[in-house]
Amino acid sequence: MAKHTLPMGGRRFSKRPIGSTPTPSEATVAPKQTLSITDNRTGKVYEVPIKDDTIHATDLRQIKVNPEDFGLMSYDPAFNNTASCRSAITFIDGDKGILRYRGYPIEQLAEKSTFLETAYLLLHGELPTKPQLGAWTDNIIHHRFIHENVTKLLEGFRYDAHPMGMFISTIAALSTFYPEANDIKSPEIRQRQIFRLVAKSPTVAAFAYRHGIGMPFAYPDDELTYAGNFLNMMFKATETKYRPDPALEHALDVLFILHADHEQNCSANAMRSVGSSHVDPYSAMAAAGAALYGPLHGGANEQVLRMLREIGDKKRIPDYVKRVKAKEVLLMGFGHRVYKNYDPRASIIKRVAQEVFEVTGKNPLIDIALELERIALSDDYFISHKLYPNVDFYSGIIYEAMKFPVTMFPVLFAIGRTPGWLAQWQELLNDPEQKISRPRQVYIGSQERDYVGIEKRR
Ligand code: ACO
């Protein structure tokens, strides 16, 4: 039997059954951080290094039947078990319901931090000192305005255009206003685009909304906080100075914090994948926004509200749950690729909801949502599938109570997620192991065949 070793050196297989625990005498030998693989097609044994509980997929390529073969690949549609990067930004333990940004528990950040401070943390790796936070905040305030031509672009959309479609297109269009952004290798130029994107996202979002309802754009107010200014740009009417309700301003700030990053989710992966071609960050972020728009990702809270409205009455919940279990419909706002326990963000949001309802009055949908959660969490289907409420189950109910239209929900998510996308993008560009994203495929189509003229086709 031939033995093929990788850098860690080789070892033959013992006769123990696959997956069994070593005997005490075997266990006394210090465990090697390697994985032995027997290719039963050839009987060859390979040994590949294990680092951080991971093997390098390219180490499999030496496993071949014939020397001219391409070599073994791993097949992982939807990246169910593939790490695409090494990241120091966000940690999630889905089984324990843990979420940390740069090591800080989300619960502490939601309670003690602000969105701008958290954005700084995600992008820089450390909480800012007072002067650092001051400079960062000044830069964001300075970049809040958008070029008047961008407002013309927004005005070109139809009155009923979905604000998320407007947001995505306008973020992409910003690349034409800042051609310097193509120089993604310059840290200074990158930093300037980061200021612009974090600062302008709320402006673009609010202007998209105002266009839809035919209201004149409300320009940024330098004296207001990030969340307070966003409320101003959304809801300012004829008053000379808009003063946001402090409870609503705080709730929105917390919601932005909760959405700020979530490691390698669908939109972060889009940001990294598109960014890996070295395109400018506006184009990459438009791609991330497009990924977020889908109902299985950031579009879920919009779908939750539609679902709760369709249910309409607590009495109809059992029937709806039956349809979910029959796989006719999904229980929107439930389930997560990573969390197989309560999403910690959902618990925080439930508390924020109470604070908001004290100001706005209760959104009647909350009663349906709470009862739906109660019934689902005591049902075997949901327990056995480990389906719990995710961040979007309650966020829409709060947004609606705050008078955001349903179509703005994914846009609100995108504003919060902007620093996360940019932190992922920046980390990608600084990672010497990263290259252009380019998965392999398992080809299952026709073998070579000759072209058939149309007159001979059947
Ligand atoms: N309702 C009912 N059943 C569900 C749900 C749900 N919301 N989510 C998953 N399941 C079931 C699936 O039918 C499947 O059942 P089966 O094993 O009997 O076939 C099982 O649970 C596993 O589901 P997958 O779809 O394989 O899980 P995956 O990790 O691919 O999907 C996802 C995760 C997309 C979030 C899924 O749970 C879902 O569609 N949820 C509803 C949409 C939603 O709330 N999205 C927001 C996610 S959070 C965020 O993006 C911020």
Side-chain angles (χ1 to χ4, degrees), residues 173-404:
L174 287 181
S175 72
T176 66
F177 289 80
Y178 307 109
E180 61 163 11
N182 286 326
D183 186 359
I184 50 103
K185 296 219 164 95
S186 156
E188 293 74 34
I189 291 178
R190 280 208 305 263
Q191 182 58 66
R192 212 156 37 239
Q193 314 321 312
I194 288 172
F195 291 142
R196 286 183 173 135
L197 276 164
V198 175
K200 294 183 201 303
S201 283
T203 315
V204 170
F207 282 21
Y209 165 72
R210 307 268 300 198
H211 171 68
I213 55 165
M215 290 271 283
F217 300 133
Y219 283 83
D221 181 336
D222 287 359
E223 287 171 9
L224 295 176
T225 64
Y226 193 82
N229 172 56
F230 179 59
L231 291 169
N232 158 64
M233 292 189 294
M234 284 286 298
F235 300 123
K236 185 171 189 285
T238 52
E239 65 270 50
T240 30
K241 173 105 185 151
Y242 178 87
R243 294 186 200 286
D245 183 287
L248 301 188
E249 184 182 359
H250 175 252
L252 188 59
D253 202 61
V254 172
L255 284 159
F256 285 156
I257 292 174
L258 298 184
H259 285 93
D261 194 52
H262 213 231
E263 51 116 307
Q264 305 314 309
N265 56 84
C266 179
S267 56
N269 182 59
M271 184 86 196
R272 280 179 174 264
S273 187
V274 174
S276 75
S277 74
H278 288 184
V279 74
D280 68 88
Y282 302 98
S283 303
M285 192 170 126
L292 188 80
Y293 194 6
L296 297 188
H297 189 12
N301 50 11
E302 188 173 336
Q303 299 306 323
V304 171
L305 267 246
R306 295 191 198 286
M307 175 187 76
L308 294 175
R309 278 217 193 87
E310 186 191 330
I311 296 173
D313 192 304
K314 282 202 261 182
K315 279 187 266 162
R316 284 203 281 273
I317 293 174
D319 277 348
Y320 197 85
V321 168
K322 258 191 219 153
R323 289 178 61 205
V324 172
K325 286 159 68 174
K327 297 201 185 285
E328 284 170 32
V329 285
L330 283 173
L331 184 49
M332 297 310 289
F334 261 64
H336 200 276
R337 171 62 59 78
V338 179
Y339 292 118
K340 300 300 170 198
N341 196 327
Y342 214 92
D343 180 339
R345 300 168 300 174
S347 331
I348 300 168
I349 284 194
K350 255 166 113 173
R351 279 201 304 278
V352 172
Q354 297 314 324
E355 289 166 32
V356 169
F357 296 158
E358 274 170 31
V359 178
T360 62
K362 195 164 82 169
N363 183 338
L365 292 179
I366 188 78
D367 290 333
I368 300 176
L370 287 168
E371 181 64 1
L372 185 53
E373 179 188 333
R374 192 192 64 74
I375 292 179
L377 294 188
S378 52
D379 188 298
D380 261 359
Y381 176 89
F382 297 91
I383 296 166
S384 61
H385 284 78
K386 298 191 175 170
L387 295 171
Y388 293 87
N390 59 50
V391 67
D392 279 336
F393 191 63
Y394 289 103
S395 63
I397 300 172
I398 304 181
Y399 292 146
E400 188 175 72
M402 291 171 81
K403 303 274 182 283
F404 288 107

